[in-house]
Amino acid sequence: MEQKELQKLVEEISLFFFGLPFLHEARFNFRLRTTGGRYLLKSHDLEFNWRHYETFGIDELIGIIKHELCHYHLHLQGKGYKHQDADFKQLLAQVGGLRYCQVNEEARNKTLSTHCYCCIQCGLVYNRKRKINLKRYVCGKCRGRLKKII
């Protein structure tokens, strides 16, 4: 699916389910990893996760589009557009949008720890996303020295 097709799909869904036109830009954001889409408050544009569409298909994308259009239309009307607002929950249920999108395991695995440390004395294992200074940090359990495993 190209950007033009996505724009057309969002405009059609907006008119059919909400009865209101979508007057801004809809696009794929290839840097999104953990979310299906997002509504940009300042520009009123919508961004969608390409990998999510590629993995789960058009039905999941339509649910995400409905979710983001709820944010869009409620914000422009001056109503409660946030997830916890009653207006948002009511409109989302009315149009049949997704409250949560499916979890993309591929994106989740990339954010898991890449550095693994082990205490020399007690053997406790620490998994971290960021590298730590072994001269500065010690084991939180026994105050022993740490050693990098991976």
Side-chain angles (χ1 to χ4, degrees):
M1 176 180 287
E2 293 181 18
Q3 301 283 358
K4 291 179 184 178
E5 295 173 41
L6 177 67
Q7 180 74 30
K8 185 178 178 194
L9 179 64
V10 171
E11 290 171 359
E12 289 173 358
I13 290 173
S14 181
L15 282 174
F16 185 78
F17 287 98
F18 296 88
L20 297 167
F22 177 71
L23 304 173
H24 293 85
E25 187 180 340
R27 61 181 168 266
F28 283 113
N29 184 340
F30 296 94
R31 290 176 291 137
L32 289 180
R33 290 186 185 272
T34 58
T35 183
R38 66 180 174 186
Y39 167 59
L40 303 172
L41 288 172
K42 290 184 180 178
S43 64
H44 306 294
D45 293 342
L46 301 179
E47 295 182 338
F48 299 98
N49 185 337
W50 169 258
R51 287 183 198 92
H52 214 79
Y53 162 67
E54 205 173 39
T55 306
F56 300 112
I58 190 74
D59 292 333
E60 182 81 5
L61 180 64
I62 289 171
I64 294 168
I65 290 171
K66 289 178 185 177
H67 178 103
E68 299 307 326
L69 282 172
C70 287
H71 289 299
Y72 172 80
H73 288 300
L74 289 170
H75 182 251
L76 292 179
Q77 292 171 5
K79 296 181 180 177
Y81 62 90
K82 297 179 183 175
H83 289 122
Q84 70 266 20
D85 293 331
D87 291 333
F88 178 80
K89 290 177 182 177
Q90 182 183 1
L91 184 60
L92 190 64
Q94 188 179 343
V95 297
L98 294 176
R99 180 80 168 113
Y100 303 102
C101 60
Q102 294 182 32
V103 177
N104 191 342
E105 291 297 330
E106 181 182 321
R108 176 179 271 182
N109 291 339
K110 285 184 179 179
T111 61
L112 291 177
S113 64
T114 56
H115 301 282
C116 189
Y117 302 94
C118 179
C119 176
I120 295 172
Q121 289 180 357
C122 68
L124 187 64
V125 177
Y126 294 91
N127 294 312
R128 296 289 179 266
K129 290 181 186 177
R130 293 185 178 187
K131 207 174 191 179
I132 64 170
N133 185 350
L134 297 177
K135 293 178 183 175
R136 189 172 178 194
Y137 293 96
V138 294
C139 177
K141 184 178 177 184
C142 71
R143 315 240 342 128
R145 286 185 48 230
L146 298 176
K147 175 183 164 185
K148 183 164 175 120
I149 300 171
I150 299 173

